[in-house]
Amino acid sequence: MERKDVNLNNVSPMMREYLKTKSEYEGIILFYRLGDFYEMFFEDAITASHELELTLTGKQAGLKEKIPMCGVPYHAVNIYLEKLIEKGYKVAICEQMEDPKLAKGIVKREVTQIVSAGTITNTDIVNEKDFNFIAGIKDYTYAYVLSYADLLSGKVYATYINHDDENLISQIVNLNIKEIVVEDNFNEKLIYKFKTNYNIYISYYNEDKVFDKNNVFDGIEDEKIIKTTSIVLNYLVNAMKQDLSHLQHLEIVDKKMFLELNKECIRNLELTETMRNKDRQNSLLGFMDKTKTAMGSRLLKSYIISPSIDKKEITKRHDLVEKLIKEFMLKSELKSYLYEIYDLERLTGKVACSTLNARDMLQLKNSLTVFPDINNILAELNLEPLETFDKLCDLIERSIKENSPVTLKEGNLIKEGFNAEIDELRSIKTNGKDFISNFESEERQRTNIKGLKVGFNKVFGYFIEVPKGQIMYVKDEFQYERKQTLSNCERYITPLLKEKENMILNAEDKLNNLEYEVFCEIKEEIKKYISNLQVVSGKIAYLDVMQSFATIAEENNFIKPTINDNNIVEIIGGRHPVVESVIEKEYIDNDVILNKNTNVLIITGPNMSGKSTYMREMGIIAILNQIGSFVPAKKCNIPIFDKIFTRIGASDDLVGGESTFMVEMKESAYALKNATHNSLILFDELGRGTSTYDGMSLAGAIIEYIATNIKCKTLFSTHYHELIAMENKLSGVKNVHVTIAEEGGDITFLHKVLDGAVDKSYGINVAKLANLPNTVIKRANELLEEFENQNNKVERKAQQLELIFDEDTKDELREYIDTINPLEVTPIEAINILDQIKKKSLL
């Protein structure tokens, strides 16, 4: 049976209310609270039962046939929510807004929250080491405006992005945005990419009004920024059904103040996760994360994906790291205190989102109590102290029980002495339960029924239970009134027992309700501190990242880099820190020298010799410098780069329908169009995705374009040994090679980069190391000799032809070749041009 076929007049009153609520939340799974369960009906039940592996049952709702139904227990709802969100669903939580015992007629219910990928506020579900951003995008033709917010921390950002779809996608992927809010008319192709390629949830929201719930836009006059940010913030208010007063002042991100890293660069350098296993542990982020707080871990990630280009800020961080290394005892104390601080950012978010429980309050108090100790350390380091929250700590200390439960409406939250009425009700409840305990022993003595006991359940309340074999001892004078007959016993009540029951249960209900009211009052008091707590959270996160940098530097022999304004790269004894940490043998360090007059290093050497690691090492050291960290080297004099472009490793885009070579060319084109004199380019074996001559021609043209037009620092590895001749033809180009030791056809990788080039690939030798069958290796050597002989014959023939060319033919060829611009030639056109040259040479 489908919901659209149901006549509202024919269903039960409860189902009628459900259907009315569901009609307001089409396309969203509705969790409808009924007692201790969240129930789902009709198509929601069919979907949820399949996705959550629940039993699909039926419910009588006043119709001829049962309607589909399934449910989940309310106390385990987070497990099921997480699964549905991961699978790309959105869930509306419909709660009971009144006590069913007191309700007259149908219990009033309301949707209190819409949970989606970007609106989760349960910290058990959200990754504590990453922000959970939800974004809004507007297309202004010449540029995109991207606004994004993290609901739990209250952080709100906005930025302009040039009107380039790949640039926009890179930014969204780098920030790990979970959900995007757009208007109905937004670019459908982009929406398809977000959904299909990156599994991002898309929501639509068209309310065209300025968000005015707090001071988010104070001092901001850019209407485009305000309008785009309002889309996502109004959507959040609508989804959360709350005020969200904790949202912080909007921070406009100027992309020009950060090192530009596109998603390919972040992937190729394995900055946040490894390429093979997609794990955090062996990425740069995993290696550098020695933070003690969740806030610090999140800030560290934001530094790594958006390093600074502000020399003053970078130097400030370097100096603080240096101070912490020198004051290692103070640093050690600071680490121990930071470890005691819980996630203040998200705790304050939970206060505002009304999801804070008593245990969260205790975590807040325990975090704040270490601030005075941290301030003592900051004083010795001549750093600005943190605000302490003595009144707030005292309030929580006096009010909240140390062993408080997670639930809020079942009592046992408030300490004795904090509220007189709570103490009185608690005394009545305790004394009443003592009475029940004593009543049981007294009744046994009075009646001489040894099997008698006093029990309780929610249906009958308190009762006296007598086993079947002892019923004959029950006398009229006991004033027992039979309440229930079971197979093995009889249950009775007495006037005195009912009187005490009313007293106990009324006291318990009143106590639980009063404790919840007092708890909410305390929570409202904490809300007054949200803004200050957010400020101090940011300071704690910064301190934590700086101590992490200092710890890493100490443990791994990092040094303080020198920043120059002369575009000089002088790295002596540089290392790739992640590779060094995982390999079992000794790591071989290397130098990277690019003086004023040298911009391009052409790197040759066999596969597996370490060319890619050498290039990644350069990128990693540049990034570490610009996040304010020390670097893995013996000496480092380096400029500040504005952008880093990488093409390392072979990969295709199956979803996008693009080959390895097409992806390679697109990434190369993006770098050549966007790089400046202050950029860094890392190209690994460019051109290998096509035929030898095509690839070699393209690689040569790209090197020439970089060396003569862009003139930025570039590391270019290649197996096209013909390219090493460019050192003598182009200024600013230099050859280096990765050394090996060869003996009797066997090679040993030395992993040392030295000046000069090699003119052999050693591919067969590497294949031998990989244990290919000896017959294959032998045959490969025979074929190699044949191919080399054929090549030599072709070269000799070409030389002979050149001798018989007359000067007119040579001039005609030169004139034709001069008309060719390699940067504008497609691969197919290049083949036609070669054919023309051949024809002209034979005239």
Side-chain angles (χ1 to χ4, degrees):
M1 176 179 291
E2 296 185 14
R3 183 162 49 95
K4 63 182 177 62
D5 299 325
V6 174
N7 186 332
L8 283 178
N9 297 321
N10 296 334
V11 296
S12 64
M14 185 283 292
M15 186 52 59
R16 190 176 301 121
E17 291 301 314
Y18 166 83
L19 290 169
K20 286 179 182 178
T21 304
K22 176 61 184 175
S23 67
E24 298 173 12
Y25 296 95
E26 297 292 346
I28 301 174
I29 294 176
L30 181 63
F31 275 29
Y32 199 72
R33 181 72 177 269
L34 290 174
D36 290 340
F37 281 80
Y38 289 105
E39 302 288 5
M40 288 148 277
F41 303 102
F42 296 102
E43 64 270 29
D44 284 357
I46 294 168
T47 300
S49 64
H50 175 73
E51 298 290 5
L52 301 175
E53 299 179 3
L54 301 173
T55 301
L56 184 66
T57 61
K59 180 178 178 64
Q60 291 288 357
L63 302 172
K64 291 181 180 180
E65 57 182 293
K66 290 182 178 181
I67 63 171
M69 180 185 83
C70 70
V72 299
Y74 82 96
H75 55 79
V77 67
N78 289 330
I79 298 169
Y80 299 102
L81 272 180
E82 183 178 9
K83 288 181 180 178
L84 287 174
I85 299 306
E86 282 181 357
K87 291 173 181 286
Y89 292 97
K90 188 182 284 191
V91 180
I93 307 293
C94 186
E95 294 286 4
Q96 295 175 167
M97 304 309 291
E98 56 185 343
D99 189 337
K101 296 177 186 176
L102 305 175
K104 294 180 181 179
I106 298 297
V107 176
K108 183 181 177 183
R109 293 178 176 86
E110 286 182 9
V111 171
T112 57
Q113 184 183 355
I114 300 173
V115 184
S116 58
T119 63
I120 301 171
T121 56
N122 189 294
T123 51
D124 294 333
I125 298 176
V126 181
N127 181 1
E128 68 169 4
K129 293 182 179 293
D130 201 357
F131 288 106
N132 194 62
F133 286 126
I134 180 171
I137 309 172
K138 274 187 78 71
D139 185 347
Y140 289 100
T141 307
Y142 66 92
Y144 291 109
V145 173
L146 174 70
S147 296
Y148 49 102
D150 178 71
L151 193 54
L152 274 170
S153 69
K155 293 180 182 293
V156 186
Y157 303 93
T159 187
Y160 277 95
I161 295 175
N162 60 17
H163 205 268
D164 180 285
D165 290 355
E166 287 303 313
N167 203 353
L168 175 65
I169 291 170
S170 273
Q171 186 68 14
I172 287 168
V173 171
N174 292 351
L175 290 167
N176 197 22
I177 287 168
K178 307 289 188 185
E179 183 175 358
I180 296 173
V181 184
V182 294
E183 295 171 312
D184 289 337
N185 59 356
F186 192 75
N187 187 324
E188 289 185 6
K189 288 184 179 179
L190 262 177
I191 287 173
Y192 179 80
K193 277 191 176 182
F194 291 143
K195 284 181 176 179
T196 307
N197 295 11
Y198 304 102
N199 196 30
I200 296 171
Y201 193 92
I202 304 298
S203 294
Y204 295 90
Y205 195 74
N206 294 296
E207 189 172 311
D208 189 18
K209 70 174 185 177
V210 173
F211 178 82
D212 58 357
K213 299 295 181 184
N214 53 17
N215 302 321
V216 169
F217 298 130
D218 278 2
I220 293 175
E221 298 178 354
D222 189 319
E223 289 186 7
K224 294 180 177 63
I225 292 280
I226 291 172
K227 185 175 285 190
T228 308
T229 307
S230 291
I231 289 175
V232 68
L233 296 189
N234 284 324
Y235 170 81
L236 281 175
V237 170
N238 183 63
M240 298 304 296
K241 308 291 182 182
Q242 293 162 22
D243 189 20
L244 304 185
S245 57
H246 72 299
L247 292 177
Q248 299 181 39
H249 185 264
L250 171 65
E251 182 180 336
I252 298 179
V253 178
D254 183 357
K255 301 301 293 179
K256 295 177 183 177
M257 296 304 295
F258 297 95
L259 172 63
E260 183 181 310
L261 304 171
N262 62 19
K263 66 181 189 298
E264 286 76 22
C265 180
I266 288 175
R267 184 186 69 244
N268 289 333
L269 295 180
E270 298 184 307
L271 297 186
T272 59
E273 63 180 21
T274 59
M275 292 177 71
R276 175 173 292 181
N277 299 323
K278 305 295 181 185
D279 65 82
R280 185 181 192 272
Q281 182 179 351
N282 291 319
S283 66
L284 180 66
L285 175 60
F287 175 82
M288 293 296 296
D289 194 353
K290 296 288 184 181
T291 59
K292 297 297 180 182
T293 68
M295 303 167 291
S297 188
R298 292 193 294 270
L299 181 63
L300 173 62
K301 182 184 178 184
S302 69
Y303 279 178
I304 287 176
I305 63 173
S306 298
S308 177
I309 62 170
D310 183 347
K311 185 177 180 181
K312 185 177 178 181
E313 174 61 26
I314 296 168
T315 303
K316 185 180 103 174
R317 295 179 195 173
H318 284 159
D319 292 344
L320 180 51
V321 172
E322 185 175 43
K323 183 181 287 189
L324 289 169
I325 292 172
K326 289 178 180 177
E327 301 288 352
F328 62 92
M329 291 296 291
L330 292 175
K331 176 178 68 68
S332 180
E333 285 184 57
L334 177 62
K335 285 170 65 176
S336 65
Y337 289 129
L338 289 172
Y339 186 70
E340 296 180 38
I341 297 176
Y342 292 87
D343 196 340
L344 286 179
E345 271 185 346
R346 289 188 170 170
L347 285 173
T348 51
K350 290 174 82 171
V351 174
C353 295
S354 297
T355 57
L356 191 80
N357 60 39
R359 292 186 185 178
D360 293 328
M361 280 192 187
L362 294 173
Q363 289 182 358
L364 177 59
K365 180 200 72 176
N366 293 336
S367 300
L368 299 178
T369 52
V370 301
F371 280 18
D373 295 313
I374 291 176
N375 280 341
N376 292 336
I377 295 171
L378 296 181
E380 294 194 49
L381 293 171
N382 295 318
L383 297 175
E384 182 184 347
L386 306 173
E387 179 185 354
T388 55
F389 297 81
D390 299 334
K391 289 183 179 180
L392 181 54
C393 282
D394 179 63
L395 172 62
I396 300 173
E397 174 64 33
R398 288 186 295 108
S399 61
I400 303 299
K401 278 190 169 187
E402 292 297 331
N403 58 346
S404 296
V406 175
T407 56
L408 298 179
K409 295 189 177 182
E410 295 178 11
N412 205 31
L413 302 173
I414 307 300
K415 279 184 176 180
E416 290 182 16
F418 184 74
N419 182 285
E421 191 176 352
I422 286 176
D423 291 345
E424 183 180 351
L425 288 170
R426 192 171 282 152
S427 175
I428 294 171
K429 174 186 170 184
T430 303
N431 293 336
K433 288 193 173 181
D434 288 342
F435 165 81
I436 295 295
S437 178
N438 294 331
F439 179 78
E440 182 178 272
S441 59
E442 289 172 0
E443 283 299 294
R444 281 179 186 169
Q445 290 178 5
R446 184 169 78 91
T447 63
N448 203 27
I449 302 174
K450 295 182 179 179
L452 180 149
K453 61 182 181 181
V454 177
F456 175 84
N457 65 34
K458 291 184 179 180
V459 178
F460 296 111
Y462 288 102
F463 52 79
I464 297 166
E465 187 172 281
V466 179
K468 282 282 188 185
Q470 299 178 25
I471 294 174
M472 71 284 296
Y473 300 123
V474 176
K475 300 177 182 178
D476 292 342
E477 62 200 58
F478 296 164
Q479 293 185 309
Y480 281 12
E481 178 186 338
R482 183 180 282 107
K483 193 68 177 176
Q484 187 181 21
T485 300
L486 300 178
S487 60
N488 61 340
C489 67
E490 294 282 351
R491 289 176 175 174
Y492 305 89
I493 59 171
T494 69
L496 180 60
L497 187 60
K498 292 309 291 181
E499 178 187 336
K500 291 296 182 182
E501 175 189 280
N502 290 333
M503 180 191 73
I504 294 166
L505 296 183
N506 287 338
E508 190 164 353
D509 286 343
K510 287 180 181 178
L511 176 61
N512 291 349
N513 291 335
L514 183 58
E515 285 201 64
Y516 180 68
E517 287 175 16
V518 171
F519 177 84
C520 290
E521 290 172 5
I522 297 167
K523 189 163 60 175
E524 287 302 311
E525 188 64 26
I526 295 174
K527 279 187 177 182
K528 298 175 183 177
Y529 294 89
I530 284 178
S531 179
N532 292 44
L533 285 169
Q534 287 172 332
V535 171
V536 81
S537 296
K539 292 179 179 179
I540 289 289
Y542 180 78
L543 278 173
D544 198 10
V545 172
M546 293 303 107
Q547 73 75 21
S548 182
F549 287 169
T551 301
I552 288 288
E554 280 182 314
E555 293 177 352
N556 298 277
N557 197 26
F558 283 18
I559 57 102
K560 184 179 182 180
T562 301
I563 298 173
N564 69 73
D565 299 319
N566 304 317
N567 207 24
I568 293 171
V569 174
E570 185 185 11
I571 299 171
I572 307 298
R575 314 186 305 277
H576 190 303
V578 182
V579 175
E580 184 182 27
S581 70
V582 296
I583 62 171
E584 296 178 0
K585 54 188 178 182
E586 182 184 359
Y587 186 90
I588 306 299
D589 59 35
N590 276 300
D591 304 340
V592 183
I593 308 294
L594 290 157
N595 59 30
K596 276 186 181 181
N597 301 319
T598 305
N599 290 323
V600 181
L601 290 185
I602 297 179
I603 310 162
T604 49
N607 284 318
M608 297 292 294
S609 60
K611 299 191 300 296
S612 297
T613 300
Y614 179 69
M615 300 174 75
R616 285 191 173 101
E617 172 190 307
M618 174 67 220
I620 294 292
I621 288 175
I623 288 167
L624 288 176
N625 170 55
Q626 290 182 225
I627 66 175
S629 169
F630 281 20
V631 300
K634 295 173 183 174
K635 179 184 178 183
C636 180
N637 182 19
I638 194 169
I640 291 175
F641 295 104
D642 62 355
K643 304 172 186 178
I644 298 180
F645 303 95
T646 64
R647 175 61 197 175
I648 301 174
S651 63
D652 51 22
D653 181 4
L654 296 177
V655 176
E658 295 177 345
S659 67
T660 298
F661 182 66
M662 177 57 80
V663 172
E664 191 175 78
M665 290 299 100
K666 278 191 168 184
E667 291 179 11
S668 304
Y670 183 81
L672 297 184
K673 288 176 183 176
N674 292 281
T676 72
H677 176 62
N678 297 316
S679 299
L680 173 65
I681 293 178
L682 306 172
F683 280 168
D684 186 19
E685 297 185 29
L686 206 63
R688 61 184 166 183
T690 185
S691 67
T692 301
Y693 291 115
D694 271 356
M696 185 166 59
S697 302
L698 285 164
I702 287 170
I703 291 173
E704 184 176 318
Y705 185 82
I706 293 171
T708 57
N709 291 63
I710 305 174
K711 299 182 179 179
C712 68
K713 300 305 182 190
T714 302
L715 274 61
F716 194 108
S717 75
T718 185
H719 281 294
Y720 298 132
H721 299 111
E722 295 81 355
L723 298 179
I724 62 179
M726 301 188 85
E727 180 183 52
N728 301 320
K729 297 178 181 179
L730 294 170
S731 62
V733 177
K734 180 183 176 183
N735 289 321
V736 295
H737 69 283
V738 188
T739 56
I740 62 163
E742 183 179 9
E743 186 176 349
D746 294 328
I747 61 172
T748 303
F749 298 122
L750 301 180
H751 303 294
K752 195 69 179 176
V753 177
L754 299 175
D755 289 348
V758 292
D759 58 2
K760 187 177 177 183
S761 291
Y762 298 96
I764 296 175
N765 306 75
V766 174
K768 188 176 180 182
L769 283 177
N771 292 320
L772 255 69
N774 289 331
T775 52
V776 174
I777 299 297
K778 182 179 178 182
R779 180 58 180 154
N781 277 309
E782 292 171 355
L783 290 172
L784 177 64
E785 188 174 347
E786 287 180 24
F787 293 147
E788 286 177 341
N789 289 335
Q790 289 175 6
N791 191 49
N792 289 336
K793 288 178 183 177
V794 170
E795 287 182 359
R796 284 196 297 272
K797 187 175 180 181
Q799 290 168 0
Q800 292 167 0
L801 285 171
E802 189 175 347
L803 291 173
I804 62 172
F805 285 161
D806 58 26
E807 289 302 317
D808 291 338
T809 303
K810 289 182 180 180
D811 288 343
E812 186 178 347
L813 275 173
R814 286 194 189 98
E815 288 173 7
Y816 178 70
I817 292 170
D818 285 342
T819 64
I820 301 168
N821 185 345
L823 295 177
E824 296 178 353
V825 174
T826 66
I828 293 174
E829 288 172 342
I831 293 170
N832 292 331
I833 289 169
L834 287 172
D835 184 56
Q836 288 297 317
I837 290 172
K838 182 179 176 182
K839 288 176 180 177
K840 290 180 182 294
S841 67
L842 296 175
L843 289 174

